[in-house]
Amino acid sequence: MKPGVTGLALLACLASLAASLPAPAGLVSPLRGVGELAFTADMPVFFDDHGSSHVHLAARVFERDLVRPASGVTKRLSLHMKLARAGFTAVDTVATIEFVSSDLADLGAGSWTEPFRLIEIRSPIEPGTWAVTLELRDRDGGTAVATGVLEVGPALAPRLSDPEFQLSTRNGTLPWPDRVYGINQDTLEVYFEVEGLTGPQTFRFEVHDPRYGLLDDQNLTLDLQSGRSATLWKLPVGDYPEGSYGLRIVPPFAAEEMPMKEFSISWRIDRALEGGDELLVESELAMLPKDHDRLLRLSRARQIELLQEFWNIVDPTPGSERNETRDKFVARIEDANRIYQSRRGPGALSDRGRVYVQFGRPREVDVEVMPRNGDELEIAIQSLHDIYSPEVEGVMARGDIYGDIGTGPRTTPINLPGAHAQGATTDFSSETASDLRRNAARVGREGGFEVWKYEYNGEPLLAHHRPGLAEQQHIRFIFVDRRGVGDFRLEYSNLPTRR
C-alpha cells in the first residue's frame, strides 16, 4: 500500500461519519418545574469554536412567583442546573435574579401571553447523554423541581445546532421554552446556527402530526458564508388545528433522520394565558391520581390534550361551546386561590382549598379564633361524630381527597371519595375516642380552628368526588391551625375510611 493511502481513507471515513451524525438532540420536549413555584425550561445545544458545545438553558418564570401583592417588594429567585452521568457531574451552576414588582412593564409578553421573566444559563457541555436536574428557589422557601434527559451529539463539522423556539414580544424576540403557539402568536419561530458549509445550501423543514405523520414540509435555501451562520425561520400556523406537533430540520449533509422537536398549537385563550402550574393544579384536583401521575410525565402539548379529553368525557352538553362542569370547577379553583393563597403555594392546593373545590362552599363555618384550652376543639370533635348514628363510621380524613387531602400528620387510612369500599363499618365509639386521644396529646399546641358544615354530601361536580354517604348524612371537616400562624390543616372529618 502506498504511503498516505491509509491517512486518506481515514479522513474519508471521518468525513462520512460526520455526514451521517445527527445534530445535538437537546431536549425532545420542554421541562416543567413543579412545586410551590413553577417554571418551564428548554435547553438547546449550540456549537462553540474548536469543536466544543454549550447548552443554553432558558427558564420561564411566571408572574405569580415574581411579585407580592405589595408594590415594590423585591423577589429573589435562584435556578440551580445540574448535569450528571454515571456518578460524574459535569455542570453544577446557579443563576440568580432580583425582581421588583414595579418591573412588570419590562417583562416580555406576547399579545395574549401573561408577563414573564427568563432566567438564562450558558454552560459548556461534552457529548453524551446527561441527566438533568433543575431546581428553582425563592428566599421564602418555595421550590420547584424538574428532571429530564439531555442528548449532546459530537461537534463535528459540518454541523447544525439544536433549534431554539422563540416568541416575539414587546421587548424583542425571546427564547420561548413553552413552545406553545396559536392564540398567543400565530407564527412559529425557530432560531438555529450552521457551521462548516458555504454557498447556497438547502434545508428541509418538516412538520409532523403524531397520528398522521408528515403534515407539511418546506425548503429553505441559505447563502452561507464561511464560519458560523445564524438563521431565524418562521412558519405561519394560523391554519393548523389545535394539538401537538413535531418539527424536524433536515440539513443537506444529513444522511440519517434528524431528531424531532415537540411543539404545540392552542387556540384557547385560557390555555395560552396559563402560568406555570395552572394546568397541573387543575389536573391534580380534577383527575384521579393515576391519571394525573401519567399526565405529569407528558409533554406540555399532550398534557393539554389529555386534560381536554377528561373534560370532554364529563361534559354535560357535548357539542356545545361551553362545558358547564369545567367552568364551575375552574371558578372554584379561582375562588380558592384568592381566598386561601399563601406562600406555601396556590390556595386551591391548601387543605381548605381542596375541600372547597371538591365540595363547594360550605353551608356553615364555625370559627374559633382564640381557644382558651383544648375543650373547644374536643367539643367540636364530639359534635363531628355525634351527628351520626353508631352505624355510620366517622374518621379523620388526613391526606389528600385524592389520596392525600391534608398536609397534617397521618396515622389512619386515607379517605378516597368515590373509591372507598361501600358498606364498610367501623366502631363508632373507638373512632371518636381515637380522635379525642390525638387531640388531647396536642393540648396547648392548638391555635384557631374552623368547622365546615355541608348540607348532606355538599356539591361535588365530578362523580368520583362524591363521598358516598347516605342522603340523610351531612359531611363535616375540622381544620386546625396548630402553630397559630394561619396554617390550617385538615385533621378531622366524618368521611368514610377507605378499607
Side-chain angles (χ1 to χ4, degrees), residues 268-339:
R268 299 170 55 201
I269 294 177
D270 57 339
R271 291 295 182 226
L273 285 173
E274 280 181 333
D277 61 352
E278 280 88 345
L279 182 143
L280 299 182
V281 169
E282 182 181 330
S283 67
E284 180 175 346
L285 294 172
M287 304 175 79
L288 290 170
K290 60 182 180 65
D291 295 328
H292 174 67
D293 290 344
R294 182 165 66 93
L295 180 140
L296 289 176
R297 296 190 291 270
L298 301 175
S299 67
R300 169 72 169 186
R302 284 295 297 137
Q303 288 176 345
I304 293 174
E305 289 182 357
L306 186 63
L307 188 56
Q308 184 58 47
E309 291 171 3
F310 169 84
W311 287 118
N312 289 342
I313 292 174
V314 300
D315 190 350
T317 54
S320 65
E321 292 185 0
R322 295 183 56 192
N323 184 328
E324 292 82 359
T325 299
R326 180 181 181 270
D327 290 347
K328 292 178 181 178
F329 198 85
V330 171
R332 287 185 182 180
I333 292 177
E334 293 172 350
D335 287 344
N337 282 336
R338 184 181 66 256
I339 300 170

Side-chain angles (χ1 to χ4, degrees), residues 332 340 355-356 358-367 383 387-388 450-460 471-477 479 494:
R332 287 185 182 180
Y340 306 115
V355 172
Y356 184 97
Q358 178 164 327
F359 297 105
R361 187 184 300 274
R363 177 179 59 84
E364 182 181 347
V365 177
D366 293 339
V367 179
S383 298
I387 291 172
Y388 304 101
E450 295 183 0
V451 182
W452 286 24
K453 302 177 182 180
Y454 283 87
E455 188 76 19
Y456 303 115
N457 291 343
E459 298 182 15
E471 289 185 2
Q472 69 274 17
Q473 301 166 10
H474 306 270
I475 56 176
R476 301 287 187 269
F477 301 92
F479 304 90
N494 57 2

Side-chain angles (χ1 to χ4, degrees), residues 84-297:
R85 66 180 180 193
F88 167 69
T89 300
V91 177
D92 193 344
T93 186
V94 177
T96 301
I97 62 170
E98 294 277 357
F99 183 83
V100 179
S101 58
S102 58
D103 292 342
L104 268 180
D106 297 329
L107 294 179
S111 56
W112 287 104
T113 306
E114 68 162 15
F116 64 91
R117 179 75 176 265
L118 289 175
I119 302 180
E120 299 182 73
I121 299 177
R122 291 175 174 82
S123 178
I125 187 66
E126 297 295 326
T129 301
W130 299 93
V132 179
T133 303
L134 304 176
E135 182 177 21
L136 182 69
R137 286 184 174 274
D138 66 13
R139 57 180 164 190
D140 297 320
T143 63
V145 178
T147 59
V149 176
L150 180 74
E151 298 283 354
V152 181
L156 299 173
R159 50 201 186 189
L160 175 71
S161 76
D162 205 32
E164 180 178 74
F165 292 81
Q166 299 196 339
L167 183 74
S168 293
T169 74
R170 58 175 173 245
N171 294 328
T173 302
L174 299 174
W176 183 231
D178 294 62
R179 304 186 192 174
V180 179
Y181 297 88
I183 192 69
N184 59 330
Q185 178 172 301
D186 61 3
T187 301
L188 172 69
E189 297 187 17
V190 174
Y191 171 87
F192 64 96
E193 297 177 355
V194 184
E195 189 174 8
L197 295 176
T198 58
Q201 303 288 340
T202 300
F203 294 76
R204 187 169 78 254
F205 295 81
E206 300 176 351
V207 177
H208 292 254
D209 184 292
R211 294 163 295 182
Y212 306 115
L214 181 63
L215 182 69
D216 191 6
D217 65 323
Q218 296 185 9
N219 290 331
L220 175 66
T221 299
L222 302 174
D223 189 6
L224 303 176
Q225 308 299 316
S226 60
R228 187 178 300 123
S229 301
T231 299
L232 181 64
W233 177 72
K234 299 183 179 183
L235 174 69
V237 294
D239 295 331
Y240 281 55
E242 189 171 82
S244 59
Y245 297 88
L247 173 67
R248 175 179 291 138
I249 304 177
V250 183
F253 55 81
E256 295 182 353
E257 285 193 346
M258 302 296 290
M260 192 90 72
K261 300 293 179 179
E262 293 184 2
F263 71 95
S264 59
I265 306 294
S266 177
W267 297 108
R268 299 170 55 201
I269 294 177
D270 57 339
R271 291 295 182 226
L273 285 173
E274 280 181 333
D277 61 352
E278 280 88 345
L279 182 143
L280 299 182
V281 169
E282 182 181 330
S283 67
E284 180 175 346
L285 294 172
M287 304 175 79
L288 290 170
K290 60 182 180 65
D291 295 328
H292 174 67
D293 290 344
R294 182 165 66 93
L295 180 140
L296 289 176
R297 296 190 291 270

